[in-house]
Amino acid sequence: MTSPDLTRREALEAAAVTGGALLGGQLMPGTTPPADAQDPDGTPASLEVVLHVNGTEHRLTLDPRTTLLDALREHLHLTGSKKGCGLGQCGACTVLMDGKRVKSCLNLAALVDGREITTIEGLARGKQLHPLQAAFIERDAFQCGYCTSGQIMAGVACIAEGHAGSAQEIREWMSGNLCRCGAYDHIVAAIQDAAAVTESVQRG
Ligand code: FES
Ligand code: FES
């Protein structure tokens, strides 16, 4: 029989690796239906869009108003990226675009045609977790897990940008990613751990 500790750890790993939130099955509170199902009378003509996500090319037919976040979640079923506010204020939807962090709720899918998108689902290399995913698990850097995929994607960028030199610097450069559970101390510690790993790998 699985121990309660093991069960929790497995759940935490799922949140860090695929973005599965832990809160009562509420994977996407406030989510709106796909754009192409919202207003049949006023729907503009669909567009053919090519999205490159986690190394795979996807050809989609989308309402031109579809955000990148909705394209990922509703059309590609990559539900690790979360919709918190839908307004660019919480960071739960953060993904990498050509290696830079962006809030996917603020980008229209049709306008990122041809860009390389990386989501939480594409961060690990097979079974080998990204150092920041491993650090989040090690540091227990989340509670409900709803913000976690966005925190990890932003944290990866924060390290790559060279903005992880101190706890204060990390807090400043991660300020666009909110955690309503208040796991900030653990998140900062995880980013510091992953930054140290990255630095030692770069030094060889
Ligand atoms: S859902 Fe995109 S910033 Fe909140
Ligand atoms: S862990 Fe719950 S919102 Fe951050």
Side-chain angles (χ1 to χ4, degrees):
M1 190 168 128
T2 310
S3 74
D5 274 355
L6 184 57
T7 300
R8 179 168 187 272
R9 173 142 294 246
E10 288 170 347
L12 292 175
E13 288 175 1
V17 175
T18 65
L22 309 180
L23 189 63
Q26 295 290 317
L27 284 178
M28 194 174 52
T31 298
T32 53
D36 58 6
Q38 287 178 0
D39 184 5
D41 296 334
T43 301
S46 297
L47 291 176
E48 301 292 320
V49 177
V50 180
L51 290 184
H52 296 265
V53 183
N54 300 332
T56 302
E57 181 179 293
H58 301 272
R59 293 181 178 275
L60 301 174
T61 303
L62 298 175
D63 182 306
R65 299 166 296 183
T66 306
T67 65
L68 174 58
L69 177 60
D70 282 341
L72 293 171
R73 290 187 57 91
E74 308 295 338
H75 295 266
L76 299 181
H77 309 296
L78 294 170
T79 56
S81 305
K82 298 294 187 283
K83 182 181 282 186
C85 63
L87 298 169
Q89 294 174 353
C90 73
C93 64
T94 304
V95 300
L96 303 183
M97 184 186 302
D98 295 337
K100 311 273 190 223
R101 50 177 145 173
V102 297
K103 291 173 177 171
S104 58
C105 71
L106 294 183
N107 286 270
L108 291 176
L111 297 181
V112 303
D113 192 314
R115 313 288 291 272
E116 273 308 324
I117 308 298
T118 306
T119 71
I120 189 74
E121 292 91 344
L123 207 52
R125 293 284 165 264
K127 291 191 172 177
Q128 185 179 356
L129 297 183
H130 185 282
L132 189 52
Q133 290 174 304
F136 261 67
I137 294 167
E138 194 58 36
R139 290 281 190 173
D140 261 356
F142 37 89
Q143 293 179 33
C144 76
Y146 199 80
C147 73
T148 303
S149 59
Q151 300 280 4
I152 290 176
M153 299 313 288
V156 167
C158 182
I159 294 169
E161 293 159 8
H163 293 140
S166 68
Q168 186 178 348
E169 187 180 23
I170 291 169
R171 284 182 186 277
E172 185 178 335
W173 286 91
M174 291 293 292
S175 61
N177 287 75
L178 306 182
C179 173
R180 64 188 171 184
C181 299
Y184 295 111
D185 288 349
H186 295 245
I187 291 168
V188 169
I191 293 173
Q192 286 182 300
D193 287 354
V197 170
T198 304
E199 195 177 320
S200 85
V201 168
Q202 285 170 347
R203 277 194 196 141

